[in-house]
Amino acid sequence: MTQAKTSAKRNPSVIVIGAGMTGILMTIQLRRAGIEDITVLEKKDKVGGTWRENTYPGVACDVPAHMYTYSFEPNPGWSNFFARGGEIQDYFERVADKYDVNRSIKFNEAVTDARYHAGRWTVQTSQGKTYHADFVVCATGILHHPAFPDIEGLSDFGGTQFHTAQWNHDVKIGKGTKVGVIGTGSTAAQAIPELINSGADVTIFQRTPQWLLPVADYAVPKWMKRLLLRSPMLVKAHRAFSIMFMEHLFTKAVTGHWPQKKILEWACKLNLRFSIKNKALREKLTPNYQVGCKRVIVNTTFYKAIQKHNAHLTTEAIEKITKEGVLTKDGTLHKLDVLVLSTGFNPFNFMRPMNLIGREDLHIENAWAKQIKAYRSMMLPNYPNFFLMLGPNTPIGNFSVIAMSEVQGNYVLKMIDKWRAGEFDEVEAKPEAIAEFNAYVKKGLKGTAWVGGCQSWYLDQDGDPILWPYTWKQWVKEMREPQMAHMKTASFSSASDEAAA
Ligand code: NAP
């Protein structure tokens, strides 16, 4: 299992859970570091994660396409400024093929249990198989457990009903179909215009209006694609510019930087004022909380579509669902053929429902009973040699999660490299380090838009956003090197030792 300290590097075995964007990346990064003993356990029969699951009409990424790519695998061929879901899925499948990631993947094996004991992880899957490894990297993503609304009578509906993340493509939606959509988040803002444009009669049940930033999408003209294909430097420049734009405008705007905050605020307010002609409709669509409190929706199609004759915006609260449709509190029964639940996800599940069991039989449900937190979003006391990718307080929001995973992947590699050099056999975050990190994050959260008077999936059970409140640059800087003073390490060949500061 573990080897004696020698000058030769030892080779770890690594289990990566999930073959989505992060799992593919992690496999490539590990291989590049010379690590070959990798097992990727994927619950479905294909790579892709979020982009495999979400196939609703209009699904796209609202982060510029060239920014939403691996840094080492640019894609000059993106067809639009904002890539469509199917094209992103193709990209991940292509990258997985190119780097032969698939040879490490066990498909259709959901991890049910992962247990740590004496320097070794034992992982069990839905196929009844058992795997062992020195390290576990949990690349299970954030938004992958659909949230179903707690509305009376939901199961009584007699038509067809589905969540946006489980779109039923067998159902024909077109002229005359009566469709109801519950929810007006980022997903709904992309799907609703498609439904309306199909000619269906669409009723939108809005509980809370959202702020929309109008960044126009465009189809990349052929000449530009040719230019990008010939000039990798241009693709790099495009990506660098997008990152700079997101960092210096968007991220700063929502983390309390005054000029950027004002620019974003005005852009959203003017968008609403000039896009929606009808005053009554505009009032219904006007949020009563700070811009950026909920994730800003980057979209130019929703406001146009919602003003069409076959769109009906309802702000009356839902009383219950009946066999025929949705009954709102004003007594109106909205008769429907199809009910779409665009009600988001449970973001706090992370790797759960798997049974993750650390030192001394500590179950993750108990470790996280009071607070769902992790050291630098990745490491947990009592869970040695375990890394959670895109965990709580990663700078999610409107930034590219790919860039975040790359930074976290490098952090994992640096930690594993220390193991390979024989510096320790097991490593975990100290409890006091996690407390210190949380206090540091909490301090920064005070000035952010996320505590600006709204409810959102960003907020945990204590009302604290699970985001990173400082700049992207700051995060990258802090993630560059593991701070070993925050780690508890042990070597089995000698007595347990605390790492030197
Ligand atoms: P969401 O932002 O959480 O929105 C859920 C919507 O459902 C909200 O409008 C919410 O209303 C409503 N809702 C929930 N329960 C309800 C109930 N019981 N009755 C009435 N309304 C209810 O979910 P999402 O739109 O799926 O987006 C989630 C996240 O996915 C986004 O924030 C984003 O991070 C990501 N996403 C990204 C993209 C992209 O382009 N990159 C696209 C889609 C999604 P309230 O606001 O009142 O709670």
Side-chain angles (χ1 to χ4, degrees), residues 124-164:
Q124 285 172 311
T125 71
S126 52
Q127 301 276 358
K129 293 189 183 156
T130 302
Y131 299 88
H132 301 282
D134 299 307
F135 289 91
V136 167
V137 180
C138 204
T140 42
I142 318 162
L143 303 170
H144 55 107
H145 291 282
F148 291 89
D150 186 14
I151 301 175
E152 188 191 331
L154 194 62
S155 55
D156 296 342
F157 182 58
T160 309
Q161 176 189 156
F162 47 84
H163 190 279
T164 47

Coordinates of all heavy atoms in Angstrom, one line a residue, residues 124-164:
Q124 N -17.2 1.6 -2.9 CA -18.2 0.6 -3.4 C -19.1 1.3 -4.3 O -19.5 2.5 -4.2 CB -18.9 0.0 -2.2 CG -18.0 -1.0 -1.5 CD -18.6 -1.6 -0.2 OE1 -19.1 -0.8 0.5 NE2 -18.6 -2.9 -0.1
T125 N -19.6 0.5 -5.3 CA -20.4 1.1 -6.3 C -21.8 0.4 -6.4 O -21.9 -0.7 -5.9 CB -19.8 1.1 -7.7 OG1 -19.7 -0.3 -8.2 CG2 -18.4 1.7 -7.7
S126 N -22.7 1.0 -7.2 CA -24.0 0.4 -7.4 C -24.0 -1.0 -8.1 O -24.9 -1.7 -8.1 CB -24.8 1.4 -8.3 OG -24.1 1.7 -9.4
Q127 N -22.8 -1.3 -8.7 CA -22.7 -2.6 -9.4 C -22.2 -3.6 -8.4 O -21.9 -4.8 -8.8 CB -21.7 -2.5 -10.5 CG -22.0 -1.5 -11.6 CD -23.0 -2.1 -12.6 OE1 -23.3 -3.2 -12.5 NE2 -23.4 -1.3 -13.6
G128 N -22.1 -3.3 -7.1 CA -21.6 -4.2 -6.1 C -20.1 -4.4 -6.2 O -19.5 -5.4 -5.6
K129 N -19.4 -3.5 -6.9 CA -17.9 -3.7 -7.0 C -17.2 -2.8 -6.0 O -17.7 -1.8 -5.5 CB -17.5 -3.3 -8.4 CG -18.0 -4.2 -9.5 CD -17.4 -3.9 -10.8 CE -18.0 -4.8 -11.8 NZ -17.8 -4.3 -13.2
T130 N -16.0 -3.3 -5.6 CA -15.2 -2.6 -4.6 C -13.8 -2.1 -5.2 O -13.2 -2.9 -6.0 CB -14.9 -3.5 -3.4 OG1 -16.2 -3.9 -2.9 CG2 -14.2 -2.8 -2.3
Y131 N -13.5 -0.9 -5.0 CA -12.2 -0.4 -5.5 C -11.4 0.2 -4.3 O -12.0 0.6 -3.3 CB -12.4 0.7 -6.5 CG -13.2 0.3 -7.7 CD1 -14.6 0.3 -7.7 CD2 -12.6 -0.2 -8.8 CE1 -15.3 -0.1 -8.8 CE2 -13.3 -0.6 -10.0 CZ -14.7 -0.5 -9.9 OH -15.4 -1.0 -11.0
H132 N -10.1 0.2 -4.4 CA -9.3 0.7 -3.4 C -8.3 1.8 -4.0 O -7.9 1.7 -5.1 CB -8.4 -0.4 -2.7 CG -9.2 -1.5 -2.1 ND1 -9.8 -1.3 -0.9 CD2 -9.5 -2.7 -2.6 CE1 -10.5 -2.5 -0.6 NE2 -10.3 -3.3 -1.6
A133 N -8.0 2.8 -3.2 CA -7.1 3.8 -3.7 C -6.5 4.6 -2.5 O -7.0 4.6 -1.4 CB -7.9 4.8 -4.6
D134 N -5.4 5.3 -2.9 CA -4.7 6.1 -1.9 C -5.4 7.5 -1.8 O -5.4 8.1 -0.7 CB -3.3 6.4 -2.3 CG -2.5 5.1 -2.4 OD1 -2.4 4.4 -1.4 OD2 -1.9 4.8 -3.5
F135 N -6.0 7.9 -2.9 CA -6.7 9.2 -2.9 C -8.1 9.1 -3.5 O -8.2 8.3 -4.5 CB -5.9 10.3 -3.7 CG -4.6 10.7 -3.0 CD1 -3.4 10.0 -3.2 CD2 -4.6 11.8 -2.1 CE1 -2.3 10.4 -2.6 CE2 -3.4 12.2 -1.5 CZ -2.3 11.5 -1.7
V136 N -9.0 9.9 -3.0 CA -10.3 10.1 -3.7 C -10.5 11.5 -4.1 O -10.3 12.4 -3.2 CB -11.4 9.6 -2.8 CG1 -12.8 10.1 -3.4 CG2 -11.4 8.1 -2.7
V137 N -10.8 11.8 -5.3 CA -11.1 13.1 -5.8 C -12.6 13.1 -6.2 O -13.0 12.4 -7.1 CB -10.2 13.6 -7.0 CG1 -10.6 15.0 -7.4 CG2 -8.8 13.5 -6.6
C138 N -13.4 13.9 -5.5 CA -14.8 13.9 -5.7 C -15.2 15.0 -6.8 O -15.1 16.2 -6.4 CB -15.5 14.2 -4.4 SG -17.1 13.6 -4.4
A139 N -15.5 14.6 -8.0 CA -15.8 15.5 -9.0 C -17.2 15.4 -9.4 O -17.6 15.3 -10.6 CB -14.8 15.3 -10.2
T140 N -18.1 15.5 -8.4 CA -19.5 15.2 -8.6 C -20.3 16.4 -9.0 O -21.5 16.3 -9.2 CB -20.1 14.6 -7.4 OG1 -19.6 15.2 -6.2 CG2 -19.7 13.1 -7.2
G141 N -19.7 17.6 -9.1 CA -20.4 18.8 -9.5 C -21.3 19.4 -8.5 O -21.4 18.9 -7.3
I142 N -21.9 20.5 -8.8 CA -22.7 21.3 -7.9 C -24.2 21.1 -8.1 O -24.9 20.7 -7.2 CB -22.4 22.8 -7.9 CG1 -20.9 23.0 -8.0 CG2 -22.9 23.5 -6.6 CD1 -20.5 24.4 -8.5
L143 N -24.6 21.5 -9.3 CA -26.1 21.5 -9.6 C -26.5 20.3 -10.3 O -26.7 20.3 -11.6 CB -26.4 22.8 -10.3 CG -26.0 24.1 -9.6 CD1 -26.1 25.3 -10.5 CD2 -26.8 24.3 -8.3
H144 N -26.7 19.2 -9.6 CA -27.0 18.0 -10.4 C -28.2 17.2 -9.7 O -28.6 16.1 -10.2 CB -25.8 17.0 -10.6 CG -25.1 16.7 -9.3 ND1 -25.2 15.5 -8.7 CD2 -24.3 17.4 -8.5 CE1 -24.5 15.4 -7.6 NE2 -23.9 16.6 -7.5
H145 N -28.7 17.7 -8.6 CA -29.9 17.1 -8.0 C -31.1 18.0 -8.2 O -31.2 19.0 -7.5 CB -29.6 16.8 -6.5 CG -28.6 15.8 -6.2 ND1 -28.8 14.4 -6.3 CD2 -27.3 15.9 -5.8 CE1 -27.7 13.8 -6.0 NE2 -26.8 14.6 -5.7
P146 N -31.9 17.7 -9.1 CA -33.1 18.6 -9.3 C -33.9 18.8 -8.1 O -34.1 17.9 -7.3 CB -33.9 17.8 -10.4 CG -33.0 16.8 -11.0 CD -31.9 16.5 -10.0
A147 N -34.3 20.0 -7.9 CA -35.1 20.4 -6.7 C -36.6 20.4 -7.2 O -36.9 21.1 -8.2 CB -34.7 21.7 -6.1
F148 N -37.4 19.6 -6.5 CA -38.9 19.6 -6.9 C -39.6 20.5 -5.9 O -39.4 20.4 -4.7 CB -39.4 18.2 -6.9 CG -38.8 17.4 -8.0 CD1 -37.6 16.7 -7.9 CD2 -39.4 17.4 -9.3 CE1 -37.0 16.0 -9.0 CE2 -38.8 16.7 -10.4 CZ -37.6 16.0 -10.2
P149 N -40.5 21.3 -6.4 CA -41.2 22.2 -5.4 C -42.2 21.5 -4.5 O -42.8 20.5 -4.9 CB -41.9 23.2 -6.4 CG -42.2 22.4 -7.6 CD -41.0 21.5 -7.8
D150 N -42.3 22.0 -3.3 CA -43.2 21.4 -2.3 C -44.5 22.1 -2.5 O -44.9 22.9 -1.8 CB -42.6 21.7 -1.0 CG -43.4 21.0 0.1 OD1 -44.2 20.1 -0.2 OD2 -43.2 21.3 1.3
I151 N -45.2 21.7 -3.6 CA -46.5 22.3 -3.9 C -47.6 21.2 -3.8 O -47.4 20.1 -4.3 CB -46.6 22.9 -5.3 CG1 -45.5 24.0 -5.4 CG2 -47.9 23.5 -5.6 CD1 -45.3 24.6 -6.8
E152 N -48.7 21.5 -3.1 CA -49.8 20.5 -2.9 C -50.3 20.0 -4.3 O -50.5 20.8 -5.2 CB -50.9 21.2 -2.1 CG -52.0 20.2 -1.7 CD -53.2 21.0 -1.2 OE1 -53.1 22.1 -0.6 OE2 -54.3 20.4 -1.3
G153 N -50.5 18.7 -4.4 CA -51.1 18.2 -5.6 C -50.2 18.0 -6.7 O -50.6 17.6 -7.8
L154 N -48.9 18.2 -6.5 CA -47.9 18.1 -7.7 C -48.1 16.8 -8.4 O -48.0 16.8 -9.7 CB -46.5 18.2 -7.1 CG -45.4 18.5 -8.2 CD1 -45.6 19.8 -8.9 CD2 -44.0 18.5 -7.5
S155 N -48.3 15.7 -7.7 CA -48.4 14.4 -8.4 C -49.8 14.1 -9.0 O -50.0 13.1 -9.6 CB -48.0 13.3 -7.4 OG -48.8 13.4 -6.3
D156 N -50.7 15.1 -8.7 CA -52.1 14.9 -9.2 C -52.3 15.3 -10.7 O -53.3 15.0 -11.3 CB -53.1 15.7 -8.4 CG -53.2 15.2 -6.9 OD1 -52.8 14.1 -6.7 OD2 -53.7 16.0 -6.1
F157 N -51.2 16.0 -11.2 CA -51.4 16.6 -12.5 C -51.6 15.5 -13.5 O -50.9 14.5 -13.6 CB -50.1 17.4 -12.8 CG -50.2 18.1 -14.2 CD1 -51.2 19.0 -14.5 CD2 -49.2 17.8 -15.2 CE1 -51.3 19.6 -15.7 CE2 -49.3 18.4 -16.4 CZ -50.3 19.3 -16.7
G158 N -52.6 15.7 -14.4 CA -53.0 14.7 -15.3 C -52.2 14.8 -16.7 O -52.3 13.8 -17.5
G159 N -51.6 15.9 -16.9 CA -50.8 16.0 -18.2 C -49.4 15.5 -18.0 O -49.2 14.7 -17.2
T160 N -48.5 16.0 -18.8 CA -47.1 15.6 -18.7 C -46.4 16.6 -17.9 O -46.5 17.8 -18.1 CB -46.5 15.5 -20.1 OG1 -47.3 14.7 -21.0 CG2 -45.1 14.8 -20.1
Q161 N -45.5 16.1 -17.0 CA -44.8 16.9 -16.1 C -43.4 16.5 -16.0 O -43.1 15.3 -16.0 CB -45.5 16.8 -14.7 CG -44.8 17.6 -13.7 CD -45.4 17.2 -12.3 OE1 -44.7 17.4 -11.3 NE2 -46.6 16.7 -12.2
F162 N -42.4 17.4 -16.1 CA -41.0 17.1 -15.9 C -40.2 18.3 -15.5 O -40.6 19.4 -15.6 CB -40.4 16.5 -17.2 CG -40.7 17.2 -18.4 CD1 -39.9 18.3 -18.8 CD2 -41.8 16.9 -19.3 CE1 -40.2 19.1 -20.0 CE2 -42.0 17.6 -20.4 CZ -41.3 18.7 -20.8
H163 N -39.1 18.0 -14.9 CA -38.1 19.0 -14.4 C -37.2 19.3 -15.7 O -37.0 18.5 -16.5 CB -37.2 18.4 -13.3 CG -36.4 19.4 -12.6 ND1 -35.2 19.9 -13.2 CD2 -36.6 20.1 -11.5 CE1 -34.7 20.8 -12.3 NE2 -35.5 21.0 -11.3
T164 N -36.8 20.6 -15.7 CA -35.9 21.0 -16.9 C -34.7 20.1 -17.1 O -34.2 19.9 -18.2 CB -35.5 22.5 -16.7 OG1 -35.0 22.7 -15.4 CG2 -36.6 23.4 -17.0

